[in-house]
Amino acid sequence: MSKTPTIDYEKRQALLKEIPILQKEIQHLFSQLDQSYHLHGAEVPVTFGFETDLLGSYTRPSDHEEEHFHFSLCFLGYSIEKPLSKEDRMDLYKHEYAHYMQYNMQIPAEYTWQPGHHGSAWKYCCSLIGAAPTPFYKAGEALLEHDYDKQMKQKTIFHQESKLRDHIKRERDYRAAEGRNVQYQVGEEIQHPKFGTGTIEAIEKLDRSVRLTIRFGDEIKKIDQKWLVKTTKYKRFSDR
Ligand SMILES: [Zn+2]
């Protein structure tokens, strides 16, 4: 019979005591990366938990959540049975930092074709800082050589046997939130793959999506914002 491992009180206490050391380790790494890329990742709050199905995550600031990194002590702590190796631990930090980077720095246009939390923009960030460009955790991966060029051209393949670093639910939450959050402004110019350049005239917030009224020349169309995301979301960043 398989049971989800539970962490008893004593172990929890031992793990909690490790937080300051881990925090220092993360801060040290993130400040180094910040210096290289002129970012402020080390200033983003880091929280810890006891998840057994989630290694870490980066949450972007939104209406209902503050920006933060989160890591599970059940993988990072020394007091657990099989802690991550130092290399894998550092790689996990870099994995989450790459998520932070993908939303906080300019991504060259050629790396924006593949959407998603683990799309080409994220893989590009991984290549800059030397993180394993895979959404999954496999022991020892941090020590492998990564062919970033190949990875960036590839679709993400989901291996059932491997553990997702960011819990799959996070990815779903992220997608749902992305669908609901208004990502455009009235008056903003957008690009549509078929209709070309248009101007947003009205924005309607629906239950699970955002409907935009867009003028393309003489024509007015109502389009879900998700159809624009792929072509313009990242472009808006690189236009700045
Ligand atoms: Zn991830």
Side-chain angles (χ1 to χ4, degrees):
M1 232 174 43
S2 74
K3 246 181 149 188
T4 317
T6 49
I7 312 276
D8 61 34
Y9 178 80
E10 251 169 65
K11 207 164 254 178
R12 265 173 201 256
Q13 294 309 307
L15 283 169
L16 286 173
K17 281 191 194 135
E18 295 184 32
I19 287 179
I21 303 165
L22 295 169
Q23 240 159 359
K24 246 190 204 154
E25 194 173 62
I26 295 165
Q27 277 250 303
H28 183 71
L29 175 69
F30 286 5
S31 329
Q32 276 181 335
L33 296 171
D34 281 349
Q35 271 186 10
S36 307
Y37 300 100
H38 308 289
L39 294 169
H40 303 278
E43 289 164 28
V44 176
V46 180
T47 59
F48 295 91
F50 295 102
E51 295 82 1
T52 52
D53 55 356
L54 167 81
L55 283 80
S57 65
Y58 164 69
T59 304
R60 278 194 289 171
S62 69
D63 297 345
H64 47 273
E65 262 189 297
E66 263 186 59
E67 182 183 34
H68 67 280
F69 289 102
H70 183 86
F71 295 101
S72 170
L73 295 166
C74 296
F75 293 94
L76 294 184
Y78 294 101
S79 330
I80 56 157
E81 239 167 81
K82 280 192 226 159
L84 296 191
S85 68
K86 169 122 197 235
E87 290 80 9
D88 284 339
R89 203 166 67 236
M90 297 312 259
D91 190 62
L92 175 62
Y93 300 153
K94 285 184 185 172
H95 176 113
E96 302 307 338
Y97 189 87
H99 282 311
Y100 163 78
M101 288 173 91
Q102 88 191 94
Y103 301 114
N104 288 283
M105 65 180 273
Q106 206 167 301
I107 306 293
E110 65 259 46
Y111 298 117
T112 60
W113 65 274
Q114 187 184 41
H117 203 42
H118 294 110
S120 55
W122 173 74
K123 290 177 196 166
Y124 166 73
C125 296
C126 286
S127 77
L128 295 179
I129 61 173
T134 154
F136 311 101
Y137 165 67
K138 266 192 262 154
E141 185 122 58
L143 297 172
L144 299 178
E145 289 254 354
H146 304 293
D147 185 343
Y148 289 105
D149 267 346
K150 195 174 146 211
Q151 282 280 352
M152 265 183 269
K153 285 175 196 132
Q154 257 176 6
K155 290 202 169 172
T156 304
I157 301 158
F158 283 78
H159 303 282
Q160 279 198 324
E161 72 276 13
S162 42
K163 199 175 272 277
L164 201 61
R165 285 169 205 253
D166 315 280
H167 190 230
I168 196 128
K169 186 176 163 290
R170 293 256 166 187
E171 180 95 353
R172 254 188 267 128
D173 287 351
Y174 160 79
R175 279 184 205 282
E178 190 173 50
R180 278 194 310 270
N181 289 346
V182 179
Q183 292 170 30
Y184 297 89
Q185 291 170 8
V186 172
E188 190 170 341
E189 220 173 66
I190 54 88
Q191 288 290 327
H192 187 277
K194 204 159 134 204
F195 309 124
T197 307
T199 310
I200 298 175
E201 299 210 324
I203 298 173
E204 240 178 302
K205 237 180 148 173
L206 305 177
D207 198 21
R208 275 154 193 259
S209 61
V210 175
R211 194 191 289 153
L212 306 172
T213 305
I214 306 172
R215 175 180 290 280
F216 296 97
D218 294 338
E219 256 186 295
I220 301 250
K221 299 221 181 274
K222 285 189 188 266
I223 297 172
D224 191 307
Q225 73 171 6
K226 75 173 177 225
W227 301 114
L228 301 173
V229 169
K230 283 180 199 170
T231 49
T232 60
K233 184 177 148 207
Y234 295 113
K235 203 159 164 268
R236 289 194 300 162
F237 281 98
S238 55
D239 280 351
R240 267 179 213 155

